[in-house]
Amino acid sequence: MSWRVANACAERKFGSATRKQIIMFLADKASDDGSGIWCSKGTIQRHTELGETTVKRTIRDFLKEGILVETGARGCKNGFTVVYRIDLAQIEALELTAEPDIETGATVDPVQTGPGMGATVAGVPGPPRPPNHPKTIHKPPTRERVAVEDEEAEKILDTYPPDRLRGKAECLGRIRDILDAGTVAEDLLQAVKAYARESAGFTRSKVCFSDNWFKSRRWRAYVEDIAKSREETKAKEAEMLAGLANWVTDRHPLCRHITPGQVDALLAAELVTQAQILAAGLRS
């Protein structure tokens, strides 16, 4: 489960309770970058208790709208299951569920919108806002978490070409914002390294200073390429495992070339059973 993706979806409007219920279920299966969602429409239907037609129609709509992206397929007992990715850029473009702060002028009979601020019996005024107010911080970040985020941000910024560093404090703040929005730290680190390699021979007039690079979101294309490459690798691995599963099921002579690690992967993916492994002359 990715709390980053789940929070991003929870804070957006999807047009109906049904659509929200399905996207939240998918977000629960996603990695921090929105990828790796591997569950069939039947699984979605059973867990959400929605109709089969409703689930299929909603998934089709999400694909058309770009909210979901098909990234491959993985073998299963019924054939294969499509692997999806939630496009976080599309999610961020949706309308927020939180009501905007509306500033109004004084009225003849002004209405107090917040809790009472008058003195109580103990002489202590009431709180400035109720506990469930959007601006109320329920779980402030711990020192340990802040330290980890600062360390990750420093590590990422240290990878940026030193001759183009500018505005360190601003850069670190933007990196933390990027990570808080759901981007995986390792992906952003690899994005910076990729840009550094790509621009190694650039003249000073063609390079981008670090503050502008993070501010203009030039890192996004590199992160998307990294995610795409990872998804393609997962799809190839899934295709390979599906082929190996067919060998095991058919007790093909080539089963003798299957390694113990591949046997463990087949069992973990539930593509074959322990009995089928033994019947094919293999051991886990």
Side-chain angles (χ1 to χ4, degrees), residues 68-139:
L68 279 184
V69 180
E70 291 186 1
T71 60
R74 295 184 64 175
C76 64
K77 62 182 180 181
N78 295 324
F80 70 94
T81 299
V82 176
V83 181
Y84 297 105
R85 172 173 62 85
I86 294 177
D87 191 331
L88 296 178
Q90 293 289 340
I91 298 298
E92 292 173 0
L94 297 176
E95 181 183 356
L96 289 168
T97 56
E99 294 182 358
D101 292 332
I102 301 175
E103 299 292 339
T104 60
T107 61
V108 176
D109 185 17
V111 179
Q112 183 175 340
T113 58
M117 296 292 290
T120 63
V121 176
V124 179
R129 59 177 69 99
N132 63 344
H133 192 281
K135 291 184 178 180
T136 302
I137 301 176
H138 297 285
K139 294 182 179 180

Side-chain angles (χ1 to χ4, degrees), residues 3-169:
W3 65 267
R4 295 181 184 273
V5 179
N7 283 353
C9 292
E11 294 172 354
R12 262 67 184 184
K13 293 183 179 180
F14 288 86
S16 71
T18 298
R19 286 165 58 91
K20 188 66 168 278
Q21 186 176 359
I22 291 176
I23 198 66
M24 290 303 298
F25 178 81
L26 295 175
D28 186 61
K29 306 296 181 183
S31 302
D32 280 349
D33 60 352
S35 66
I37 302 171
W38 179 39
C39 57
S40 67
K41 297 180 183 66
T43 300
I44 299 172
Q45 178 192 355
R46 288 194 301 275
H47 285 268
T48 60
E49 300 183 34
L50 297 169
E52 180 180 0
T53 302
T54 299
V55 171
K56 290 182 177 179
R57 183 183 66 250
T58 304
I59 295 297
R60 284 198 304 269
D61 291 342
F62 282 158
L63 290 170
K64 290 178 182 177
E65 296 164 16
I67 292 174
L68 279 184
V69 180
E70 291 186 1
T71 60
R74 295 184 64 175
C76 64
K77 62 182 180 181
N78 295 324
F80 70 94
T81 299
V82 176
V83 181
Y84 297 105
R85 172 173 62 85
I86 294 177
D87 191 331
L88 296 178
Q90 293 289 340
I91 298 298
E92 292 173 0
L94 297 176
E95 181 183 356
L96 289 168
T97 56
E99 294 182 358
D101 292 332
I102 301 175
E103 299 292 339
T104 60
T107 61
V108 176
D109 185 17
V111 179
Q112 183 175 340
T113 58
M117 296 292 290
T120 63
V121 176
V124 179
R129 59 177 69 99
N132 63 344
H133 192 281
K135 291 184 178 180
T136 302
I137 301 176
H138 297 285
K139 294 182 179 180
T142 62
R143 291 183 179 179
E144 292 79 5
R145 197 187 87 186
V146 171
V148 170
E149 291 179 350
D150 288 345
E151 183 179 349
E152 290 176 338
E154 289 276 3
K155 182 179 178 181
I156 292 169
L157 189 59
D158 286 345
T159 311
Y160 204 86
D163 59 324
R164 308 170 211 167
L165 285 175
R166 187 173 66 185
K168 181 177 179 180

Side-chain angles (χ1 to χ4, degrees), residues 215-263:
K215 181 180 180 180
S216 60
R217 303 171 71 85
R218 293 182 63 174
W219 50 269
R220 180 181 287 277
Y222 294 95
V223 170
E224 289 176 350
D225 287 342
I226 291 169
K228 182 179 179 182
S229 177
R230 180 166 55 242
E231 289 161 1
E232 289 174 350
T233 300
K234 288 182 180 179
K236 289 179 181 178
E237 291 176 351
E239 184 178 354
M240 179 196 68
L241 286 178
L244 296 179
N246 289 334
W247 285 3
V248 172
T249 302
D250 298 338
R251 302 181 189 178
H252 197 281
L254 291 177
C255 281
R256 64 179 182 273
H257 298 296
I258 299 178
T259 66
Q262 291 171 333
V263 170

